[in-house]
């Protein structure tokens, strides 16, 4: 059974650029949640996808968007990058919208310069 | 006011010590509660769920006081390997697992 995998592991982008981060959910999981963790802070909920539809969103602007594919993998897209977007982006997968087996991937560390 | 508040620490304790972490949450309708552990530059991992009756897992004991909106974690006989950041986590919703994290409390266990 493979766990949650995220790619890339590290990324450096310039302010104003766009970025796409990817997450492959654990086998058997159909829900993916994304979190942003700034240095020294706890993760903050961005949004969740359940059966390919957005199932909740945190306090993030529309330039943060996402997708979930039929195989339950997911993408997080961020447009018009700002310096404050520099953070560790974590994906978590689970089974059902009640979060059974909630498991985090190891994250993508994004640096915006 | 933050939704989940923790003492950031750091807590530096000798091996074998007992250490307690506290956390308060603001949403009285919150449904489920957890403690996560995060090692440096790694992903958070579930340490234990927290129940109203209190629960214990080996050297770790978690307590929940819904009336005071207060959660605690007690670590007995601390080991060097317990050094990490401990995150207090609340699920405000009864359904979807959309977690609200505290900022974490850093623990260093010293030899």
């Amino acid at each position: 059974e493979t766990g949650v995998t995220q790619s890339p592991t590290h990324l450096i982008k310039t302010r104003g650029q766009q970025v796409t981060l990817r997450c492959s959910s654990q086998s058997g999981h159909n829900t993916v949640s994304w979190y942003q963790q700034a240095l020294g802070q706890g993760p903050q909920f961005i949004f969740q996808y359940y059966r390919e539809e957005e199932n909740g969103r945190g306090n993030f602007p529309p330039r943060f968007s996402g997708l979930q594919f039929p195989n339950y993998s997911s993408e997080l897209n961020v447009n018009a990058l700002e310096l404050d977007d520099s953070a560790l982006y974590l994906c978590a997968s689970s089974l059902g919208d009640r979060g059974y087996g909630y498991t985090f991937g190891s994250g993508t560390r994004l640096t915006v310069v | 006011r933050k939704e989940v508040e923790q003492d950031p620490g750091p807590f530096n304790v000798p091996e074998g010590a007992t250490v307690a972490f506290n956390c308060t949450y603001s949403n009285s309708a919150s449904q489920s509660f957890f403690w996560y552990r995060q090692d440096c530059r790694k992903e958070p991992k579930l340490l234990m769920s927290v129940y109203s009756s209190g629960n214990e897992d080996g050297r770790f004991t978690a307590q929940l006081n819904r009336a005071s909106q207060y959660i605690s974690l007690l670590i007995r006989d601390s080991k060097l390997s317990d050094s990490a950041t401990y995150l207090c986590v609340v699920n405000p919703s009864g359904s979807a697992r959309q977690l609200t994290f505290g900022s974490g409390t850093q623990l260093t266990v010293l030899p």
Side-chain angles (χ1 to χ4, degrees), chain A residues 10 33 35 37 39-45 48 55-57 88 90 94 97-102 104-107 109, chain B residues 2 6 8 32 36 38 40-46 85 87 89 91 93-104:
Chain A
H10 296 82
S33 306
Y35 291 81
Q37 186 174 23
L39 200 60
Q41 300 297 315
Q44 286 194 61
F45 175 71
Q48 183 180 83
N55 186 44
R57 187 179 183 94
L88 178 67
L90 295 159
S94 56
D97 62 354
R98 290 196 172 265
Y100 296 113
Y102 207 88
F104 281 93
S106 55
R109 190 164 299 278
Chain B
K2 288 186 179 180
Q6 296 182 246
S32 48
Y36 273 71
Q38 186 171 27
C40 187
R41 303 181 77 82
K42 301 276 192 176
E43 73 274 22
K45 292 188 176 176
L46 178 65
T85 296
L87 296 157
V89 186
N91 181 15
S93 166
S95 58
R97 187 72 69 90
Q98 298 166 6
L99 305 178
T100 301
F101 285 78
S103 297

Side-chain angles (χ1 to χ4, degrees), chain A residues 1 5-6 8 12-13 15 17-18 23-24 28 34 38-39 46-47 49 56-59 63 65 76 85 93 95 101:
Chain A
E1 179 182 279
T5 57
Q6 293 187 242
I12 299 175
K13 288 287 191 178
R15 191 170 48 180
Q17 285 187 313
Q18 178 265 343
C23 173
S24 293
W34 286 92
L39 200 60
I46 302 174
F47 43 57
Y49 281 84
R57 187 179 183 94
N59 189 25
R63 59 191 186 83
S65 63
L76 164 65
D85 295 334
S93 77
L95 176 61

